[in-house]
Amino acid sequence: MMKRLMNKKKYLAVLVPLLATATATATVYAEGLKALDDDQMSAQTGQALLNLSYIAPTDAANIESTRSGGDNNTGFYKLGIEAEMELNANIKNLQLGCGGVNGPGACDIDIKNLSLSGLNDGTVTTGESAGSPTFSDGRPATSAKLTNPFIEFAIKNPDSAAGREMVGFRLSAESIEGLLTAGLENLDSPSTTDGIQTLSGYMQVAGTTGDVNTVASTFGKGTQDCLPRSGGDCQAIGGKIRIPSLFTNRYIRSLPTDSNTTGITVPSLKVDFDLPAFTINGSRQTQAVVEGVSSTIPWLPIAAAGVCPTEYAADCANANAQIEDINFTDDQLYVNITKNNDTTTWPEDCVLGFVCYAKFKMVDGSAITDLKVDITFEQSLSMFHNIPLKGTGGYLSLQKQAVRWPGANSDDVAQRGWWMSFAEPVDLGYLQAQNKVDISAVLPQVADYVTDSLLAGDRISVGFFEAIGVALSTPLTKKLIIDVGNSDPAKLTLQNQQLRSQGVVSNCWGNMTMGC
């Protein structure tokens, strides 16, 4: 099987002219060789173009022998070129290991429209492609730098002439500096014809920050007739009230499906997030899944802008400044007044025997504060385009068994088949989602947190005349600042976000795209 895979000579075409050039150079110099005596020899200095090194199975540098589950009888032979090479290349369709040892129906590596050039010298500062790379003299005029490229072979039983076996090889360089891009366009959805389709390999992504803008939504209204804190898609809210003039305490719960409930508007907001470092590591991967993306919304308006409290002055002002042209005047919840001390079944009850329901409105300046969100980020690899390489090595390898190549990171174990690895964490820069994010999946969780906060805090005080107004169907209006900071983070999954920093710069002159 190994022999059949290695017969794909077209993928090694770049190596043949390189070795041919080295051989021709050596031949030219051989024709002009002159004898030197010892003194003349001692006065000369120089460096070989080619060097050969070997790491035995017992050498300390042989990390394959020491890894758990590793092969302790594999040595590594490396043929390197002591030179700095420059390369600018476009590959329209890179497919390696299709079918083969890892099964039919897919490739180990399948990347459409792959380009390698020099590093960009700037980034877009504003607009839809903010953070994407720019080139002052054009990308095609730049070249990636490969310092000391080499080919390395993994040989099992290297000390046995009869049992010696090649179990893998890799192409790499001691240092690579350049911009690797996958795909031609930064689309708003995954592509089956552009970018990374499958990747077998290892790539660390550095931690970064970013922001998204949310879609305006309606809170507290739904299609489910439910009780507060009942889970699922329920957006019912519960709380407690006191009517001092009537010396009575009661509980209220909202009725999401009642026609009198119009809901509470949650405006579109800019939400900052922290993306932790993560690693893409495995065979035939099609997406990156990042858990633990944390965000906090310090001030979430649920009514028109009002006077900001001192402790939230900056966050409140920033949030209010982002509120779009939204009419909050029709926002209201229809609530049922329930018996005291029963927040499990919330049975219907009345005040003075006849006031059973009320309309409830949020006064200007009402807000939910310190809402924590735990985001899971699922992104198709076809939507990652820019991979800056800034000095450390990467490699492309083929092996018939799992191998940890010399110098590889501890968790970078190349698996059977083709493998592409990047040693240095890739910096994606500041991330901004191009399109607004729907957070409606979080709202049922927020309803539970609001209920917990209202039940734990002071009772909402209702005056005598307000109680009379309720009896006459006049809405009960209150300014509420609801702190949910003690609640667990709300869970949200974001899928396939178009990222502004992933705009692709063509590596061709003029209007050409690939194959130029």
Side-chain angles (χ1 to χ4, degrees):
M1 182 63 69
M2 187 67 186
K3 181 177 179 181
R4 185 169 74 251
L5 290 173
M6 291 183 60
N7 280 337
K8 297 184 176 181
K9 296 180 181 178
K10 59 181 179 180
Y11 303 121
L12 303 179
V14 68
L15 184 62
V16 175
L18 183 63
L19 295 178
T21 301
T23 303
T25 303
T27 302
V28 170
Y29 281 98
E31 293 176 353
L33 290 178
K34 295 182 180 180
L36 298 176
D37 58 30
D38 289 345
D39 291 337
Q40 290 173 317
M41 285 288 290
S42 64
Q44 303 303 315
T45 60
Q47 181 174 317
L49 176 62
L50 302 177
N51 68 71
L52 180 65
S53 62
Y54 170 58
I55 299 176
T58 57
D59 286 350
N62 194 322
I63 53 180
E64 167 64 12
S65 297
T66 58
R67 77 173 176 91
S68 176
D71 189 330
N72 61 7
N73 198 23
T74 295
F76 296 92
Y77 292 85
K78 182 166 73 173
L79 175 62
I81 301 175
E82 297 292 330
E84 183 179 275
M85 297 180 59
E86 294 188 352
L87 180 65
N88 183 294
N90 295 315
I91 302 175
K92 186 170 182 61
N93 191 8
L94 177 64
Q95 291 184 311
L96 302 172
C98 300
V101 297
N102 289 320
C107 302
D108 295 343
I109 296 173
D110 186 356
I111 305 176
K112 315 295 186 186
N113 303 315
L114 184 70
S115 293
L116 178 64
S117 69
L119 280 170
N120 54 297
D121 52 18
T123 57
V124 179
T125 57
T126 59
E128 295 183 355
S129 298
S132 296
T134 60
F135 295 81
S136 57
D137 294 326
R139 187 180 178 191
T142 67
S143 293
K145 293 181 180 179
L146 286 72
T147 303
N148 300 339
F150 63 83
I151 182 171
E152 189 167 24
F153 300 93
I155 306 297
K156 191 173 184 177
N157 305 317
D159 298 326
S160 171
R164 191 176 295 133
E165 177 187 7
M166 185 174 71
V167 295
F169 77 92
R170 68 167 175 165
L171 302 173
S172 183
E174 302 296 345
S175 173
I176 302 174
E177 184 175 289
L179 177 65
L180 186 69
T181 60
L184 299 176
E185 295 183 271
N186 187 24
L187 303 175
D188 59 3
S189 61
S191 172
T192 59
T193 59
D194 195 33
I196 302 173
Q197 303 301 304
T198 57
L199 177 67
S200 296
Y202 175 88
M203 182 170 66
Q204 297 179 102
V205 179
T208 186
T209 57
D211 64 70
V212 297
N213 285 290
T214 64
V215 176
S217 54
T218 301
F219 175 55
K221 182 177 178 62
T223 58
Q224 185 178 357
D225 185 13
C226 54
L227 301 177
R229 300 191 295 192
S230 60
D233 295 328
C234 182
Q235 293 192 33
I237 300 169
K240 54 189 182 182
I241 63 173
R242 175 172 173 75
I243 309 176
S245 55
L246 300 180
F247 305 103
T248 183
N249 294 328
R250 287 291 186 269
Y251 285 74
I252 59 173
R253 69 176 178 91
S254 68
L255 307 174
T257 59
D258 193 281
S259 59
N260 289 293
T261 293
T262 59
I264 298 172
T265 299
V266 178
S268 173
L269 291 176
K270 175 185 173 184
V271 178
D272 298 321
F273 63 85
D274 294 315
L275 183 73
F278 64 95
T279 301
I280 299 170
N281 189 0
S283 296
R284 296 190 176 183
Q285 300 164 100
T286 59
Q287 68 172 357
V289 178
V290 189
E291 298 179 337
V293 181
S294 61
S295 177
T296 298
I297 305 176
W299 184 269
L300 181 64
I302 51 176
V307 177
C308 293
T310 302
E311 62 270 33
Y312 290 102
D315 294 321
C316 169
N318 289 337
N320 288 339
Q322 296 178 56
I323 295 178
E324 299 173 347
D325 186 15
I326 294 176
N327 183 5
F328 292 92
T329 57
D330 294 331
D331 288 0
Q332 70 178 20
L333 302 176
Y334 196 57
V335 300
N336 171 222
I337 302 174
T338 70
K339 286 183 178 180
N340 193 17
N341 296 327
D342 191 350
T343 58
T344 301
T345 60
W346 301 86
E348 294 188 13
D349 192 21
C350 302
V351 176
L352 299 180
F354 66 93
V355 181
C356 306
Y357 298 93
K359 296 175 181 179
F360 191 95
K361 295 180 69 68
M362 300 289 182
V363 173
D364 294 357
S366 295
I368 297 171
T369 65
D370 296 320
L371 173 63
K372 298 187 290 292
V373 184
D374 186 357
I375 304 170
T376 296
F377 184 60
E378 298 178 358
Q379 188 83 345
S380 169
L381 295 184
S382 69
M383 301 182 75
F384 286 111
H385 303 295
N386 297 317
I387 305 175
L389 308 174
K390 298 184 178 180
T392 57
Y395 66 85
L396 176 66
S397 67
L398 172 65
Q399 46 278 316
K400 65 177 296 184
Q401 65 186 44
V403 175
R404 184 180 171 196
W405 291 93
N409 291 340
S410 60
D411 54 341
D412 179 11
V413 180
Q415 299 300 304
R416 193 180 186 194
W418 286 93
W419 190 263
M420 182 180 287
S421 172
F422 303 95
E424 181 180 353
V426 174
D427 184 2
L428 296 177
Y430 189 82
L431 298 181
Q432 289 180 303
Q434 178 64 36
N435 301 312
K436 290 184 177 181
V437 172
D438 183 4
I439 62 169
S440 58
V442 171
L443 298 182
Q445 302 169 67
V446 175
D448 290 345
Y449 300 158
V450 169
T451 297
D452 291 341
S453 179
L454 291 178
L455 291 177
D458 296 332
R459 292 182 178 273
I460 301 171
S461 182
V462 178
F464 176 77
F465 290 105
E466 288 178 306
I468 298 299
V470 167
L472 300 175
S473 296
T474 301
L476 177 64
T477 58
K478 292 293 176 180
K479 179 179 178 179
L480 297 181
I481 299 178
I482 307 167
D483 183 3
V484 297
N486 292 326
S487 302
D488 293 333
K491 304 292 185 181
L492 177 66
T493 298
L494 299 182
Q495 292 181 312
N496 299 326
Q497 298 299 310
Q498 184 183 23
L499 303 176
R500 295 186 180 186
S501 64
Q502 295 303 295
V504 185
V505 179
S506 173
N507 196 32
C508 294
W509 296 109
N511 295 324
M512 299 185 68
T513 54
M514 290 296 294
C516 50

